[in-house]
Amino acid sequence: ELGPPAGSCTMSAAEDAEWLRGVTKQFRSIAGEDKEINLEEFKTALQVKESFFAERFFALFDSDGSGTISLEELLEALSLLVHGDETDKLRFLFQVYDVDDERKPMGCQGAAGYGVPALTPMVPPGSGSIDPEELRVVLRWCLQESSIALPEERLGDLTMVLFEAADKDHSGSITFEELREQLEAFPEVMENLTISAASWLKPPPPPERSRRPPCLSRPYWHNHRGSCAFLGGYTSLNLLLFTLAALRHAGRGGWVAVARGCGQCLNFNCTFLAVLMLRRCLTWLRATPMAKFLPLDQHVVLHQLVGYVVLVLAAIHTGAHIANFSRLAQRDGHRDLAEFLLSARPGAGGLGGTASQTGLALAGLLLAMLGFSCPCVRRSGHFEVFYWTHLSYISVWTLLILHGPHFWKWFVVPGCLFVLEKLLGLAWRRAGGLHIVEVNLLPSKVTHLVIQRPQSFHYKPGDYIYLNIPAIASYEWHPFTISSAPEQPDTLWLHIRSLGQWTNKLYEYFQQLGSANLETKPLSRSLRERRSCPWVQVGLGFWCLSWCTSPCYIDGPYGTPTRRIFTSEHAVLIGAGIGITPFASILQSIMYRYRRRKQSCPSCHHSWCEDLRDEEMTLRKVDFIWINRDQKHFEWFVSLLTKLEMEQAEQEPGGRFLEMHMYMTSALSKNDMKAIGLQMALDLLATKEQRDSITGLQTRTQPGRPDWSKVFGKVAEEKRGKVQVFFCGSSVLAKVIRAHCERFGFRFFKENF
């Protein structure tokens, strides 16, 4: 990309001068003894990789047509662009698009005949006007550099709609003045022309991180009050437990006091680790008033935090006991430290005096669990290592009961709940295997599974389940968000992106079945026949699999932060890539509720939609923002979004209850000179056809990344109630959005992803 970062406006004269000095230094380091550079060296100097525009820029700067550029030629052209006015920059844009093969002096006919100052003494290859074929060539390269794939017919439509709009006199070509007049109809394009031309050519700097409000500021507290209060209470309770236990054993020496204080904290924290993973209990708590005060959305993060606390406490506890045993061994003289640590002794604590031995075993197990829980292990294709080492929690709790005389008092209630949850899950999983009804393999490496829905399976929009497919891995259970709405009675949808070992094996497994063991069937097969065995959709055809007995198992459902959406007033849903999946369920549920509330008059057949707000749904407005890297990733849910648009247009004409915003980050942004023509053509064609050329939706896909200040500023101006932002995507983007939410005073909720 060659444009400035989103949200940038103009560069200061000092920045321009510094950039020119940098270009000069780089030019001299690349140029040889002749002090000139060729096309390839020019690409290196300006870090321009795209061949078409690199050649156009090179031709513009090569004023004498020698095939090389001297430092004087380069600086002369760049200085004019940096310090030139709007007309100079517009001239540069016109010459980039004028790609004819002949060369004409600036003082002759064509574009120079309008009394506009010349960019260089000689016009680069061009005739002074732009015909449809030239425009088509440039737009084709713009599409390629924006990673947009459109049929040749659509390219022709884009070319003609832009050409017809700009060719005011219907002469069959676009002159400089006609281009200027057309650009003036797009104020933001003209505004971008005021950006220093150097920003068109230099690579963008790394994205600027949003400054987060101070930790004690009101916006920060507003968005973190639950977590901060909980952490404060958690820390205070640990300090209290440590102090009481240490004071109780202070007479036995300092090392014993420290060991006993940490031991009491370990009793609590090892139990609390289990509480934080009682998923069914936590899901139930989400439906109670306690959800407003407890950080249920961060239970996985808190589980990790408490795990680290346990490891630190265990290290201090073990170290204090070893120090005390060393002191006792020196005082006794008949026994060494190894005997204290490795031999069971009456009165040494634990069952049968085995506190030392069980303690060492516990330390080893905890180290293994922590080491193999690191993201580098779980996400590097070794999930089974994490899974099996984490199962040692059964051994850990057993050893804790043998090691600590009072641990069972802390563990009895949470332990019973944990066992009950596991038994319910096991009974549910093994009550009967479910069948995969349909499989869609999308080119973007997403596996769309349609699974038979059990009759007693009830869930909320945005919930997730654990999935086990024995054909992929017998003992592995992986969490995936349900992408279908609860109102869909017969099936569950899962959209699974291939990111790790298990998900890649899943995609490849069905891909191999689709190519080797599938038998073509007509699309008109009845739904009953299709449900009798799994199907794979390849392209536009359905394929019937030969293996109808392979089961899959599910465990859940479990609640997520998205359950709060229906009790919000103004919800902003932000999905990045496959992070749309929880919101797909939400949006479908909204559509079903629209249908349920639709009323019609029996006399005139006029239909209307009742107020959506009720006890379960207080929504006044929903803004849905979907950010994708490239065009093919929009295929996941375009059909769903199309239905939503049609549904809203039919039931709420002119309404703005659900507003969609699509962003494609690989597309050249509107403040990139190379993309001006393409974005104008896409806007004109979208206005003419009432649909976007990239996705087919009525909503226009915006190039580049969202300017969050503008997006949230617009949301704040609407004043449709308290704003809550729900995000599912990468943690890096989550930090940026959270910072903007704190600035605007919005509540922020992140789906663990």
Side-chain angles (χ1 to χ4, degrees):
E1 296 180 16
L2 300 177
S8 64
C9 294
T10 59
M11 298 199 306
S12 68
E15 289 174 321
D16 285 339
E18 182 181 355
W19 178 72
L20 285 175
R21 285 195 297 272
V23 171
T24 302
K25 182 178 179 181
Q26 192 170 12
F27 181 96
R28 287 172 175 160
S29 67
I30 294 174
E33 295 180 359
D34 57 355
K35 298 183 180 180
E36 294 194 345
I37 59 174
N38 57 26
L39 177 58
E40 291 304 317
E41 292 169 333
F42 173 78
K43 293 179 184 179
T44 304
L46 290 183
Q47 301 181 37
V48 179
K49 297 180 181 179
E50 298 85 356
S51 60
F52 174 78
F53 285 101
E55 291 170 6
R56 295 301 300 147
F57 295 156
F58 187 84
L60 285 167
F61 296 156
D62 182 15
S63 58
D64 59 6
S66 64
T68 58
I69 300 176
S70 66
L71 179 59
E72 290 72 21
E73 286 178 312
L74 181 63
L75 292 181
E76 180 184 357
L78 291 180
S79 297
L80 183 59
L81 290 175
V82 167
H83 304 296
D85 57 17
E86 182 181 290
T87 301
D88 294 323
K89 295 165 186 176
L90 184 55
R91 170 75 63 196
F92 181 76
L93 175 64
F94 184 87
Q95 291 177 348
V96 168
Y97 278 55
D98 186 10
V99 292
D100 288 325
D101 294 330
E102 59 181 298
R103 299 174 61 85
K104 297 181 181 178
M106 265 308 283
C108 297
Q109 58 189 2
Y114 297 98
V116 181
L119 177 65
T120 58
M122 182 81 72
V123 177
S127 63
S129 62
I130 304 171
D131 61 35
E133 189 55 36
E134 291 176 89
L135 193 57
R136 188 187 190 99
V137 168
V138 177
L139 291 181
R140 179 183 284 111
W141 280 101
C142 288
L143 287 170
Q144 181 174 326
E145 294 185 23
S146 291
S147 301
I148 301 175
L150 295 179
E152 197 68 20
E153 180 183 352
R154 295 302 291 168
L155 174 59
D157 294 337
L158 287 171
T159 302
M160 292 314 299
V161 73
L162 180 57
F163 187 83
E164 290 171 358
D167 185 16
K168 306 296 184 182
D169 59 3
H170 307 289
S171 63
S173 62
I174 303 173
T175 63
F176 176 78
E177 287 299 327
E178 286 176 324
L179 178 65
R180 181 205 292 272
E181 185 179 349
Q182 179 62 28
L183 288 175
E184 287 174 349
F186 292 83
E188 65 175 348
V189 173
M190 297 302 292
E191 181 182 346
N192 288 333
L193 283 174
T194 64
I195 298 174
S196 170
S199 67
W200 295 349
L201 301 175
K202 76 173 188 177
E208 197 174 312
R209 292 188 176 182
S210 302
R211 294 182 61 187
R212 298 187 62 178
C215 293
L216 298 180
S217 67
R218 184 175 179 181
Y220 185 91
W221 175 253
H222 176 74
N223 218 25
H224 296 81
R225 58 182 182 270
S227 300
C228 292
F230 182 83
L231 288 174
Y234 169 77
T235 303
S236 300
L237 179 58
N238 274 282
L239 290 174
L240 178 63
L241 291 173
F242 179 89
T243 303
L244 292 176
L247 290 175
R248 193 180 308 122
H249 297 88
R252 300 175 58 184
W255 290 120
V256 175
V258 170
R260 294 296 186 179
C262 289
Q264 188 74 315
C265 292
L266 282 168
N267 286 335
F268 163 67
N269 282 279
C270 290
T271 301
F272 194 43
L273 275 174
V275 172
L276 290 170
M277 298 312 291
L278 295 174
R279 293 189 178 89
R280 283 183 170 82
C281 293
L282 295 177
T283 298
W284 174 78
L285 280 174
R286 290 180 187 277
T288 69
M290 294 293 291
K292 296 181 179 179
F293 308 102
L294 297 176
L296 301 178
D297 301 338
Q298 288 82 37
H299 75 98
V300 174
V301 177
L302 289 173
H303 177 79
Q304 295 170 342
L305 173 65
V306 175
Y308 288 117
V309 171
V310 165
L311 191 65
V312 171
L313 289 171
I316 299 174
H317 177 76
T318 303
H321 271 308
I322 290 175
N324 182 55
F325 289 155
S326 179
R327 180 181 62 85
L328 292 176
Q330 290 177 357
R331 189 183 65 180
D332 195 337
H334 299 292
R335 289 182 291 183
D336 57 11
L337 178 61
E339 187 176 351
F340 275 98
L341 294 176
L342 302 177
S343 302
R345 295 174 294 106
L351 184 64
T354 59
S356 297
Q357 296 76 52
T358 54
L360 291 174
L362 281 167
L365 286 174
L366 288 173
L367 280 172
M369 289 179 73
L370 180 69
F372 292 115
S373 298
C374 298
C376 60
V377 175
R378 289 186 287 114
R379 299 176 183 176
S380 61
H382 301 287
F383 179 84
E384 67 279 2
V385 177
F386 159 76
Y387 177 78
W388 288 110
T389 54
H390 235 61
L391 280 181
S392 61
Y393 65 79
I394 300 173
S395 301
V396 168
W397 287 335
T398 303
L399 288 171
L400 281 169
I401 292 172
L402 299 176
H403 177 79
H406 302 293
F407 176 73
W408 69 270
K409 300 175 185 177
W410 292 84
F411 187 69
V412 61
V413 174
C416 289
L417 288 175
F418 190 87
V419 171
L420 181 61
E421 280 207 3
K422 289 297 179 182
L423 290 175
L424 287 174
L426 186 63
W428 172 256
R429 295 171 187 176
R430 300 303 174 187
L434 303 176
H435 291 288
I436 299 173
V437 177
E438 190 176 300
V439 181
N440 300 312
L441 300 181
L442 305 179
S444 50
K445 296 285 285 184
V446 171
T447 306
H448 174 199
L449 297 181
V450 181
I451 301 174
Q452 172 190 359
R453 179 176 176 177
Q455 292 183 351
S456 58
F457 188 84
H458 304 288
Y459 66 98
K460 299 290 186 182
D463 284 359
Y464 70 97
I465 59 172
Y466 278 82
L467 175 68
N468 170 257
I469 302 179
I472 309 299
S474 300
Y475 299 102
E476 291 189 23
W477 292 79
H478 294 270
F480 298 105
T481 302
I482 304 172
S483 54
S484 54
E487 291 84 355
Q488 187 172 309
D490 300 324
T491 58
L492 298 172
W493 287 5
L494 300 178
H495 283 77
I496 302 171
R497 186 179 178 188
S498 300
L499 287 176
Q501 185 183 46
W502 190 91
T503 52
N504 275 308
K505 286 171 64 177
L506 176 73
Y507 189 91
E508 293 166 1
Y509 175 74
F510 287 113
Q511 194 174 45
Q512 291 172 2
L513 288 174
S515 60
N517 301 322
L518 297 183
E519 140 186 22
T520 307
K521 297 293 181 182
L523 288 174
S524 57
R525 284 190 59 143
S526 68
L527 182 61
R528 178 182 298 178
E529 287 178 312
R530 283 173 54 188
R531 284 179 184 163
S532 66
C533 71
W535 288 67
V536 169
Q537 181 183 3
V538 182
L540 296 177
F542 285 96
W543 303 76
C544 182
L545 301 182
S546 59
W547 52 276
C548 301
T549 57
S550 280
C552 70
Y553 302 96
I554 62 174
D555 179 23
Y558 299 111
T560 64
T562 52
R563 285 196 172 191
R564 301 171 181 261
I565 289 175
F566 286 95
T567 57
S568 306
E569 293 179 333
H570 188 166
V572 180
L573 318 181
I574 305 174
I578 197 65
I580 188 185
T581 46
F583 305 134
S585 178
I586 295 287
L587 295 174
Q588 287 179 92
S589 188
I590 289 175
M591 184 173 69
Y592 279 110
R593 296 185 189 206
Y594 256 107
R595 290 175 186 162
R596 195 166 61 237
R597 287 163 171 76
K598 187 175 181 180
Q599 304 291 329
S600 60
C601 175
S603 301
C604 64
H605 302 291
H606 172 70
S607 62
W608 69 94
C609 199
E610 290 184 344
D611 190 358
L612 282 173
R613 282 174 287 170
D614 55 29
E615 293 181 357
E616 296 183 356
M617 184 168 170
T618 59
L619 279 172
R620 301 177 186 173
K621 174 73 184 297
V622 176
D623 279 282
F624 171 64
I625 302 172
W626 190 11
I627 308 164
N628 264 319
R629 184 175 62 254
D630 49 42
Q631 182 183 7
K632 68 179 181 180
H633 288 87
F634 282 102
E635 71 189 2
W636 296 333
F637 295 107
V638 163
S639 58
L640 164 65
L641 299 179
T642 302
K643 291 178 183 178
L644 288 172
E645 284 187 333
M646 294 172 62
E647 194 83 18
Q648 180 162 248
E650 177 185 339
Q651 298 187 10
E652 192 186 14
R656 306 294 291 177
F657 173 76
L658 173 61
E659 194 169 346
M660 299 185 189
H661 313 266
M662 306 291 166
Y663 291 89
M664 181 174 163
T665 58
S666 69
L668 301 177
S669 60
K670 291 184 177 180
N671 56 12
D672 190 314
M673 178 274 300
K674 302 189 301 297
I676 289 176
L678 174 61
Q679 294 303 329
M680 285 173 55
L682 288 170
D683 284 339
L684 288 167
L685 195 58
T687 302
K688 178 182 178 181
E689 297 182 347
Q690 293 299 304
R691 70 185 182 96
D692 182 56
S693 296
I694 297 175
T695 62
L697 298 171
Q698 295 177 10
T699 304
R700 171 77 165 88
T701 302
Q702 299 299 320
R705 293 173 173 80
D707 183 337
W708 295 112
S709 295
K710 291 183 179 179
V711 171
F712 288 158
K714 181 177 177 294
V715 169
E717 290 172 0
E718 292 180 359
K719 297 181 180 179
R720 301 293 293 271
K722 292 183 179 179
V723 178
Q724 293 187 329
V725 177
F726 300 85
F727 173 75
C728 185
S730 70
S731 57
V732 175
L733 183 55
K735 292 178 181 178
V736 174
I737 297 175
R738 181 190 291 273
H740 281 87
C741 288
E742 290 167 359
R743 201 181 92 191
F744 282 89
F746 300 161
R747 291 294 306 276
F748 176 82
F749 303 95
K750 179 185 180 296
E751 179 94 9
N752 290 314
F753 182 67

